[in-house]
Amino acid sequence: MKLLRSGAFLALAFALAAPAGAQNAVTPMTPDVVKSYDAVRANADFTLREVMIPMRDGTKLYTAIVFKKGAKNAPILISRSPYNAHGDVTRTASQKITEILPAMDAEFAEDGYIRVYQDIRGMHKSEGDWVLNRPIVGPLNNTGIDEATDAYDTIDWLVKNVPESNGKVGIIGSSYLGFTSLMALINPHPALKAAVPQSPMVDGWMGDDWFHNGAFRVNSFDYMVDMSVGKGDADAKIPRGAGDDYSAYLEAGSAGDFARKWGIETIPGVRKLMDNPAYTPFWSLQAVDKWLAARPLTVPTMLVVGQWDQEDSYGAPAVYRALEPKDTGNDKLSLVIGPWRHSGVNHYGYELGDVSFTGDTAHEFRVKWLKPFFDHWLKDAPDPHTPPVLTYATGINQWEVSQKWDDAKMTPLYLGAGGGLSFTPGAAGHDDYVSDPAHPVPFLPRPLSMSDRKQWTTWLVHDQRFVEDRPDVLTYKSAPLDKPIHIKGAPKVDLYAATTGTDSDWVVKLIDVAPDTTPEAASQGAKPANPGFELPLGIEIFRGRYVHGFATPGAWKPGKVENVRFELPHINHVLLPGHRLMVQVQSSLFPLYDRNPQTYVANIFNAKPGDYKAATQSIQRGGATASAVLLPIAQD
């Protein structure tokens, strides 16, 4: 069965694929007033206006403006979204502003902020064409408009046409809204005084959303269908049923075969992924951190990400690295890493899967640090002395303030003989396993579903004992610790590996193993107390064909040892005495990532059934090729 290819569907596809002609900038016109709710909800404690704000090319964007009645000299807080701005202000038919808006906005709405939600181009009630992560005007965009110009034009209209405002604007949002928040920092409007991009989409190839170090995330197809056909409402689904995703993707063949099976290969977003598997300028020229690195830091910015962000773990730290050298006074840029999933900062922060924390960490952060940050820059409130770096130390469950991030000395943790793991390299040797694409290692116990919200939002903290006994997973474990180890930063993989094939993926997991015999496991955060709980601290993949350069894929020479280096996600975690460190190495993480055929082909999306072959993988240890995970150990 294929998705229906209606004339409307194809017209939309071609519209999204074709760039609009270059437009001369024009003075924004008077907007179309869609509706004012003052008469409809005369007894409400808020005013809600819906307008169509024109951009410089004449395209009008739906914008909802809501604030408590009686507001004056009030700051504006805006979010620019592909996910239905009208829905953000009509959640209930309540007369109270705190009940019609998302929960994370309650403190702002109650305190007199003017809250603004806008549909970006081509989405929901806005005019124009939607382009996935529309690049800035330049080599990949000759239209004269982008999300940066749209943000500028929107802010310009708001400060001139919302008489209740004080002329100061902040921007906030998570995921795609994190991307649009960052875009507002490209040639920012003078009225933009503060920005909080949360879990931002920054580089879709290096480590956000679509690829991680070149390995493709197959559920990206679902997103492309939802956004292109359903306009972000999830109206369009790939009709693969409610069964085991592992079987569904395995039976289809390559990721490209899966797309062709369901007739989605012509959707522009899908074509974008399938036609550009390497890190060519098509991707590198879209990397938001590179755009920002080329510009001054003029707007106070707080970057927020979750330690177990299952979608966009790369972006916020990448932007921090790009901007931190520009923050000469260490007072204009902040990085926050909380104990959350993707966008978890805007929900409840008591727990994540079987890991629990002290209180509602998300609400605590929003009240104690986020709102005072905006209050200072938008309302002239006293300086809250926002920490340059604020991270939550899991394992001991407490917030920590740092002056810089990821500057700890790296300490090698070596893979050893007999599955050992220590800070001392052992004798030279190697450990082998057979990786068979016909039986890839699942990323969750089967049956699994990437559309199951609970499974998807918590897979990064799932107990890893479910794969420990597989013959195609190497497990290395330290002796019980006699003192705490505080890991604070991004661990780095330094793997020496060989394969009998001509291509391979390499997956490395860093794990905190709770003691086997006592309920002390609860102090790690296990809920309920779970002796032996194997908590992943970081899981990442590297597609071997890029070992000599992300833009220059190449085949491996069978049997030749290559040095594979990549970074695990950024963490702040304390392993307690009695715990063990564990490292797992494998060559698949399915169906989260597409299978590597282990035979080099030009484009894995087009791999044929005969290309998928079992290979013997060899992990070197000790001697001159001592495989290790480098740990940023804080000196407490």
Side-chain angles (χ1 to χ4, degrees):
M1 179 179 179
K2 291 181 178 288
L3 286 175
L4 179 63
R5 302 188 191 213
S6 66
F9 176 91
L10 291 178
L12 172 63
F14 287 121
L16 291 174
Q23 301 286 336
N24 295 323
V26 297
T27 303
M29 301 172 289
T30 302
D32 296 332
V33 177
V34 179
K35 183 181 291 186
S36 173
Y37 283 80
D38 283 356
V40 177
R41 299 182 182 179
N43 296 321
D45 69 354
F46 62 88
T47 288
L48 172 59
R49 301 172 190 149
E50 294 179 285
V51 299
M52 298 293 290
I53 299 180
M55 301 295 101
R56 62 190 62 187
D57 66 342
T59 300
K60 296 181 179 181
L61 304 187
Y62 167 85
T63 308
I65 305 166
V66 60
F67 52 88
K68 290 195 74 171
K69 287 180 177 177
K72 58 183 179 180
N73 197 33
I76 295 171
L77 185 60
I78 184 172
S79 295
R80 305 191 61 250
S81 170
Y83 302 126
N84 191 358
H86 178 73
D88 283 328
V89 296
T90 56
R91 290 173 178 257
T92 70
S94 174
Q95 301 283 322
K96 299 182 63 176
I97 191 171
T98 54
E99 294 178 358
I100 68 164
L101 299 182
M104 62 277 200
D105 289 335
E107 291 84 11
F108 293 103
E110 193 64 53
D111 194 32
Y113 275 71
I114 299 169
R115 197 66 175 90
V116 176
Y117 307 85
Q118 184 179 72
D119 289 329
I120 62 173
R121 286 175 181 259
M123 283 301 190
H124 305 283
K125 296 189 175 186
S126 283
E127 299 173 352
D129 296 330
W130 175 71
V131 174
L132 175 69
N133 293 102
R134 186 188 297 269
I136 59 171
V137 172
L140 300 179
N141 178 358
N142 67 353
T143 66
I145 55 92
D146 53 31
E147 298 297 351
T149 64
D150 284 354
Y152 189 103
D153 293 349
T154 298
I155 293 171
D156 192 64
W157 186 91
L158 288 169
V159 297
K160 293 175 180 177
N161 293 277
V162 180
E164 295 84 359
S165 86
N166 64 4
K168 295 183 178 182
V169 179
I171 192 165
I172 190 171
S174 184
S175 195
Y176 206 115
L177 287 73
F179 163 72
T180 58
S181 296
L182 287 175
M183 291 298 289
L185 301 178
I186 306 287
N187 303 319
H189 192 283
L192 183 64
K193 302 300 182 181
V196 180
Q198 302 165 323
S199 300
M201 302 162 69
V202 170
D203 191 323
W205 196 95
M206 290 300 298
D208 289 329
D209 290 298
W210 327 127
F211 297 84
H212 276 224
N213 296 313
F216 175 62
R217 290 193 156 201
V218 295
N219 60 340
S220 302
F221 286 152
D222 294 278
Y223 185 82
M224 297 305 173
V225 172
D226 283 351
M227 297 296 285
S228 298
V229 183
K231 296 188 74 172
D233 270 339
D235 290 335
K237 294 286 188 183
I238 299 174
R240 61 180 181 273
D244 184 4
D245 276 351
Y246 185 100
S247 297
Y249 284 102
L250 187 63
E251 292 167 2
S254 69
D257 287 337
F258 179 87
R260 288 181 281 270
K261 173 181 179 180
W262 295 109
I264 63 173
E265 76 277 13
T266 60
I267 292 177
V270 173
R271 286 255 55 90
K272 174 179 180 177
L273 301 172
M274 294 176 60
D275 291 346
N276 299 279
Y279 197 63
T280 61
F282 177 83
W283 291 110
S284 60
L285 291 178
Q286 295 187 56
V288 182
D289 57 323
K290 295 180 176 64
W291 297 341
L292 292 169
R295 290 165 171 78
L297 173 64
T298 59
V299 178
T301 300
M302 175 185 284
L303 302 160
V304 181
V305 70
Q307 181 160 299
W308 287 287
D309 189 313
Q310 77 279 6
E311 296 175 27
D312 294 306
S313 61
Y314 177 87
V319 172
Y320 174 81
R321 286 174 176 170
L323 293 181
E324 197 277 332
K326 304 173 185 293
D327 186 18
T328 55
N330 206 27
D331 58 358
K332 194 168 287 185
L333 178 70
S334 296
L335 175 66
V336 177
I337 302 177
W340 311 310
R341 60 169 175 87
H342 182 68
S343 299
V345 62
N346 292 319
H347 299 276
Y348 295 103
Y350 294 101
E351 60 191 26
L352 183 62
D354 287 334
V355 183
S356 58
F357 313 110
T358 303
D360 185 346
T361 58
H363 182 263
E364 179 185 11
F365 162 73
R366 295 196 304 265
V367 172
K368 189 173 180 180
W369 287 287
L370 175 63
K371 188 169 180 296
F373 171 80
F374 276 125
D375 286 348
H376 175 60
W377 294 109
L378 303 185
K379 298 178 70 175
D380 297 322
D383 187 351
H385 301 290
T386 303
V389 179
L390 177 68
T391 55
Y392 190 87
T394 54
I396 57 174
N397 289 349
Q398 65 184 36
W399 288 102
E400 295 184 339
V401 171
S402 307
Q403 296 305 304
K404 300 287 183 183
W405 179 248
D406 206 19
D407 58 353
K409 180 181 178 180
M410 303 303 288
T411 302
L413 179 67
Y414 294 100
L415 312 188
L421 197 62
S422 73
F423 293 105
T424 304
H430 59 87
D431 297 311
D432 300 340
Y433 62 96
V434 175
S435 172
D436 186 354
H439 303 283
V441 182
F443 80 102
L444 280 173
R446 297 178 61 188
L448 60 87
S449 170
M450 288 180 286
S451 60
D452 181 308
R453 185 165 182 80
K454 183 176 181 180
Q455 288 190 31
W456 176 241
T457 57
T458 62
W459 77 265
L460 276 173
V461 295
H462 192 89
D463 192 331
Q464 294 301 296
R465 282 178 285 191
F466 78 102
V467 296
E468 189 175 340
D469 294 329
R470 282 184 63 116
D472 51 358
V473 176
L474 295 180
T475 298
Y476 300 88
K477 189 185 299 186
S478 74
L481 302 177
D482 58 6
K483 61 181 180 180
I485 291 181
H486 190 174
I487 302 173
K488 198 170 184 179
K492 294 176 172 57
V493 173
D494 189 18
L495 197 69
Y496 290 89
T499 178
T500 59
T502 52
D503 196 4
S504 179
D505 288 348
W506 306 99
V507 177
V508 173
K509 306 172 185 175
L510 179 65
I511 300 166
D512 178 352
V513 183
D516 288 326
T517 57
T518 73
E520 183 272 342
S523 67
Q524 177 192 19
K527 177 184 73 63
N530 188 354
F533 183 72
E534 295 182 3
L535 172 67
L537 303 180
I539 300 175
E540 195 53 277
I541 190 171
F542 186 98
R543 183 138 285 176
R545 60 178 49 213
Y546 301 111
V547 69
H548 297 302
F550 289 129
T552 55
W556 281 44
K557 181 179 179 181
K560 180 183 178 182
V561 175
E562 298 279 10
N563 187 199
V564 181
R565 296 181 178 181
F566 58 98
E567 196 171 83
L568 298 179
H570 292 245
I571 62 173
N572 185 354
H573 182 79
V574 178
L575 292 96
L576 300 173
H579 288 238
R580 298 172 185 258
L581 280 158
M582 176 184 283
V583 171
Q584 289 180 346
V585 182
Q586 57 201 59
S587 290
S588 51
L589 199 61
F590 189 77
L592 176 62
Y593 296 98
D594 65 331
R595 295 174 300 150
N596 192 314
Q598 301 182 163
T599 301
Y600 184 83
V601 294
N603 186 333
I604 291 179
F605 285 101
N606 299 323
K608 305 301 182 185
D611 298 325
Y612 290 85
K613 297 178 180 178
T616 298
Q617 318 288 57
S618 182
I619 303 300
Q620 310 298 302
R621 47 179 169 74
T625 54
S627 295
V629 175
L630 310 181
L631 303 180
I633 297 180
Q635 303 301 313
D636 295 335

Short mmCIF file of all heavy atoms in Angstrom, two decimals, residues 160-197:
data_model
loop_
_atom_site.label_atom_id
_atom_site.label_comp_id
_atom_site.label_asym_id
_atom_site.label_seq_id
_atom_site.Cartn_x
_atom_site.Cartn_y
_atom_site.Cartn_z
N LYS A 160 5.83 48.48 17.04
CA LYS A 160 5.20 49.69 16.51
C LYS A 160 3.67 49.66 16.60
O LYS A 160 3.03 50.71 16.49
CB LYS A 160 5.61 49.90 15.05
CG LYS A 160 7.08 50.22 14.86
CD LYS A 160 7.44 50.29 13.38
CE LYS A 160 8.93 50.63 13.21
NZ LYS A 160 9.33 50.64 11.77
N ASN A 161 3.09 48.47 16.79
CA ASN A 161 1.63 48.34 16.67
C ASN A 161 0.95 47.69 17.86
O ASN A 161 -0.26 47.46 17.82
CB ASN A 161 1.29 47.56 15.40
CG ASN A 161 1.66 48.32 14.14
OD1 ASN A 161 0.91 49.17 13.67
ND2 ASN A 161 2.83 48.02 13.59
N VAL A 162 1.68 47.37 18.90
CA VAL A 162 1.07 46.85 20.12
C VAL A 162 1.28 47.92 21.20
O VAL A 162 2.34 47.98 21.83
CB VAL A 162 1.68 45.50 20.54
CG1 VAL A 162 1.01 45.00 21.82
CG2 VAL A 162 1.52 44.48 19.43
N PRO A 163 0.30 48.80 21.40
CA PRO A 163 0.50 49.94 22.29
C PRO A 163 0.72 49.56 23.74
O PRO A 163 1.25 50.37 24.52
CB PRO A 163 -0.80 50.74 22.13
CG PRO A 163 -1.81 49.77 21.62
CD PRO A 163 -1.05 48.80 20.77
N GLU A 164 0.35 48.36 24.11
CA GLU A 164 0.55 47.93 25.50
C GLU A 164 2.01 47.56 25.81
O GLU A 164 2.37 47.32 26.96
CB GLU A 164 -0.33 46.72 25.81
CG GLU A 164 -1.83 47.00 25.76
CD GLU A 164 -2.42 46.92 24.36
OE1 GLU A 164 -1.65 46.67 23.39
OE2 GLU A 164 -3.64 47.09 24.22
N SER A 165 2.86 47.50 24.79
CA SER A 165 4.23 47.01 25.01
C SER A 165 5.18 48.12 25.42
O SER A 165 4.93 49.31 25.19
CB SER A 165 4.75 46.35 23.74
OG SER A 165 5.31 47.29 22.85
N ASN A 166 6.30 47.71 26.01
CA ASN A 166 7.36 48.65 26.38
C ASN A 166 8.46 48.71 25.32
O ASN A 166 9.50 49.34 25.54
CB ASN A 166 7.96 48.30 27.75
CG ASN A 166 8.67 46.94 27.74
OD1 ASN A 166 8.79 46.27 26.70
ND2 ASN A 166 9.15 46.52 28.91
N GLY A 167 8.23 48.03 24.19
CA GLY A 167 9.20 48.08 23.10
C GLY A 167 10.35 47.10 23.24
O GLY A 167 11.27 47.10 22.42
N LYS A 168 10.30 46.23 24.27
CA LYS A 168 11.36 45.24 24.46
C LYS A 168 10.81 43.84 24.18
O LYS A 168 9.73 43.49 24.65
CB LYS A 168 11.92 45.31 25.87
CG LYS A 168 12.63 46.63 26.17
CD LYS A 168 13.24 46.64 27.56
CE LYS A 168 13.98 47.95 27.81
NZ LYS A 168 14.63 47.97 29.16
N VAL A 169 11.60 43.05 23.44
CA VAL A 169 11.13 41.76 22.97
C VAL A 169 12.13 40.67 23.35
O VAL A 169 13.35 40.86 23.25
CB VAL A 169 10.94 41.77 21.44
CG1 VAL A 169 10.48 40.40 20.93
CG2 VAL A 169 9.96 42.86 21.03
N GLY A 170 11.58 39.54 23.79
CA GLY A 170 12.36 38.33 23.98
C GLY A 170 11.81 37.24 23.08
O GLY A 170 10.66 37.30 22.64
N ILE A 171 12.62 36.24 22.80
CA ILE A 171 12.16 35.11 21.99
C ILE A 171 12.54 33.82 22.67
O ILE A 171 13.59 33.72 23.31
CB ILE A 171 12.74 35.18 20.55
CG1 ILE A 171 12.02 34.19 19.64
CG2 ILE A 171 14.26 34.99 20.53
CD1 ILE A 171 12.26 34.45 18.15
N ILE A 172 11.64 32.83 22.57
CA ILE A 172 11.85 31.56 23.26
C ILE A 172 11.19 30.46 22.44
O ILE A 172 10.23 30.70 21.69
CB ILE A 172 11.25 31.59 24.68
CG1 ILE A 172 11.67 30.35 25.48
CG2 ILE A 172 9.74 31.74 24.66
CD1 ILE A 172 11.29 30.42 26.97
N GLY A 173 11.69 29.25 22.58
CA GLY A 173 11.06 28.11 21.92
C GLY A 173 11.99 26.92 21.90
O GLY A 173 13.21 27.05 22.02
N SER A 174 11.38 25.74 21.73
CA SER A 174 12.14 24.50 21.79
C SER A 174 12.04 23.74 20.48
O SER A 174 11.02 23.79 19.78
CB SER A 174 11.62 23.61 22.93
OG SER A 174 12.42 22.45 23.05
N SER A 175 13.09 23.01 20.15
CA SER A 175 13.17 22.15 18.97
C SER A 175 13.17 23.02 17.71
O SER A 175 14.07 23.83 17.51
CB SER A 175 12.04 21.14 18.98
OG SER A 175 12.29 20.10 18.06
N TYR A 176 12.15 22.89 16.84
CA TYR A 176 12.08 23.76 15.67
C TYR A 176 11.98 25.22 16.11
O TYR A 176 12.55 26.13 15.49
CB TYR A 176 10.89 23.38 14.79
CG TYR A 176 11.06 23.74 13.33
CD1 TYR A 176 11.12 22.76 12.35
CD2 TYR A 176 11.16 25.07 12.92
CE1 TYR A 176 11.29 23.08 11.01
CE2 TYR A 176 11.32 25.41 11.59
CZ TYR A 176 11.38 24.41 10.64
OH TYR A 176 11.54 24.73 9.30
N LEU A 177 11.26 25.46 17.21
CA LEU A 177 11.15 26.81 17.75
C LEU A 177 12.48 27.29 18.33
O LEU A 177 12.73 28.49 18.42
CB LEU A 177 10.05 26.90 18.81
CG LEU A 177 8.61 26.83 18.34
CD1 LEU A 177 8.23 25.41 17.89
CD2 LEU A 177 7.65 27.26 19.44
N GLY A 178 13.33 26.32 18.74
CA GLY A 178 14.67 26.68 19.14
C GLY A 178 15.48 27.17 17.95
O GLY A 178 16.28 28.11 18.05
N PHE A 179 15.27 26.52 16.81
CA PHE A 179 15.91 26.94 15.56
C PHE A 179 15.47 28.36 15.19
O PHE A 179 16.29 29.23 14.88
CB PHE A 179 15.57 25.95 14.45
CG PHE A 179 15.81 26.44 13.06
CD1 PHE A 179 17.10 26.60 12.56
CD2 PHE A 179 14.73 26.76 12.24
CE1 PHE A 179 17.31 27.06 11.27
CE2 PHE A 179 14.94 27.22 10.94
CZ PHE A 179 16.23 27.37 10.45
N THR A 180 14.15 28.62 15.21
CA THR A 180 13.69 29.95 14.84
C THR A 180 14.14 31.00 15.86
O THR A 180 14.35 32.17 15.50
CB THR A 180 12.16 29.99 14.67
OG1 THR A 180 11.52 29.57 15.87
CG2 THR A 180 11.71 29.08 13.53
N SER A 181 14.31 30.61 17.12
CA SER A 181 14.84 31.55 18.12
C SER A 181 16.28 31.92 17.79
O SER A 181 16.67 33.09 17.90
CB SER A 181 14.75 30.93 19.51
OG SER A 181 13.42 30.71 19.91
N LEU A 182 17.08 30.93 17.39
CA LEU A 182 18.45 31.23 17.00
C LEU A 182 18.49 32.09 15.75
O LEU A 182 19.35 32.98 15.62
CB LEU A 182 19.22 29.93 16.75
CG LEU A 182 19.61 29.11 17.97
CD1 LEU A 182 20.26 27.80 17.55
CD2 LEU A 182 20.55 29.89 18.90
N MET A 183 17.56 31.84 14.82
CA MET A 183 17.55 32.62 13.59
C MET A 183 17.30 34.09 13.86
O MET A 183 17.78 34.96 13.11
CB MET A 183 16.50 32.06 12.63
CG MET A 183 16.83 30.69 12.07
SD MET A 183 18.33 30.71 11.09
CE MET A 183 17.78 31.62 9.66
N ALA A 184 16.56 34.40 14.91
CA ALA A 184 16.31 35.80 15.25
C ALA A 184 17.59 36.52 15.67
O ALA A 184 17.62 37.76 15.68
CB ALA A 184 15.27 35.89 16.36
N LEU A 185 18.64 35.75 16.00
CA LEU A 185 19.91 36.35 16.40
C LEU A 185 20.79 36.69 15.20
O LEU A 185 21.84 37.31 15.36
CB LEU A 185 20.68 35.37 17.31
CG LEU A 185 19.96 34.96 18.60
CD1 LEU A 185 20.79 33.96 19.38
CD2 LEU A 185 19.65 36.19 19.46
N ILE A 186 20.35 36.28 14.00
CA ILE A 186 21.08 36.64 12.79
C ILE A 186 20.62 38.04 12.40
O ILE A 186 19.47 38.26 12.04
CB ILE A 186 20.77 35.66 11.64
CG1 ILE A 186 21.03 34.20 12.06
CG2 ILE A 186 21.55 36.04 10.38
CD1 ILE A 186 22.47 33.82 12.19
N ASN A 187 21.50 39.03 12.48
CA ASN A 187 21.11 40.43 12.23
C ASN A 187 19.86 40.79 13.04
O ASN A 187 18.81 41.12 12.49
CB ASN A 187 20.86 40.65 10.74
CG ASN A 187 22.07 40.28 9.89
OD1 ASN A 187 23.20 40.58 10.26
ND2 ASN A 187 21.83 39.64 8.77
N PRO A 188 19.94 40.73 14.35
CA PRO A 188 18.75 40.89 15.20
C PRO A 188 18.17 42.30 15.16
O PRO A 188 18.88 43.29 14.99
CB PRO A 188 19.27 40.54 16.59
CG PRO A 188 20.73 40.89 16.53
CD PRO A 188 21.16 40.53 15.14
N HIS A 189 16.86 42.36 15.35
CA HIS A 189 16.17 43.65 15.47
C HIS A 189 16.66 44.34 16.75
O HIS A 189 16.88 43.67 17.78
CB HIS A 189 14.66 43.43 15.53
CG HIS A 189 13.87 44.68 15.37
ND1 HIS A 189 13.71 45.60 16.40
CD2 HIS A 189 13.17 45.18 14.31
CE1 HIS A 189 12.97 46.60 15.98
NE2 HIS A 189 12.61 46.38 14.72
N PRO A 190 16.82 45.66 16.73
CA PRO A 190 17.29 46.36 17.95
C PRO A 190 16.40 46.15 19.17
O PRO A 190 16.87 46.26 20.31
CB PRO A 190 17.29 47.84 17.52
CG PRO A 190 17.44 47.80 16.04
CD PRO A 190 16.70 46.57 15.59
N ALA A 191 15.12 45.84 18.96
CA ALA A 191 14.22 45.63 20.09
C ALA A 191 14.37 44.26 20.71
O ALA A 191 13.82 44.02 21.80
CB ALA A 191 12.77 45.85 19.65
N LEU A 192 15.06 43.35 20.04
CA LEU A 192 15.26 42.01 20.60
C LEU A 192 16.32 42.09 21.68
O LEU A 192 17.50 42.33 21.41
CB LEU A 192 15.68 41.03 19.51
CG LEU A 192 15.86 39.57 19.96
CD1 LEU A 192 14.54 38.98 20.46
CD2 LEU A 192 16.43 38.71 18.84
N LYS A 193 15.92 41.86 22.93
CA LYS A 193 16.81 42.07 24.07
C LYS A 193 17.25 40.77 24.75
O LYS A 193 18.18 40.80 25.56
CB LYS A 193 16.10 42.95 25.11
CG LYS A 193 15.66 44.31 24.57
CD LYS A 193 16.82 45.15 24.07
CE LYS A 193 16.37 46.51 23.59
NZ LYS A 193 17.50 47.33 23.07
N ALA A 194 16.60 39.64 24.45
CA ALA A 194 16.97 38.38 25.11
C ALA A 194 16.41 37.21 24.31
O ALA A 194 15.35 37.31 23.71
CB ALA A 194 16.45 38.34 26.55
N ALA A 195 17.15 36.09 24.34
CA ALA A 195 16.72 34.90 23.61
C ALA A 195 17.01 33.66 24.43
O ALA A 195 18.07 33.55 25.06
CB ALA A 195 17.44 34.82 22.26
N VAL A 196 16.07 32.71 24.39
CA VAL A 196 16.27 31.42 25.07
C VAL A 196 15.91 30.30 24.08
O VAL A 196 14.80 29.80 24.06
CB VAL A 196 15.42 31.30 26.35
CG1 VAL A 196 15.66 29.94 27.01
CG2 VAL A 196 15.77 32.41 27.33
N PRO A 197 16.87 29.90 23.23
CA PRO A 197 16.65 28.74 22.36
C PRO A 197 16.80 27.46 23.18
O PRO A 197 17.80 27.26 23.88
CB PRO A 197 17.78 28.86 21.31
CG PRO A 197 18.34 30.26 21.49
CD PRO A 197 18.13 30.58 22.93
#
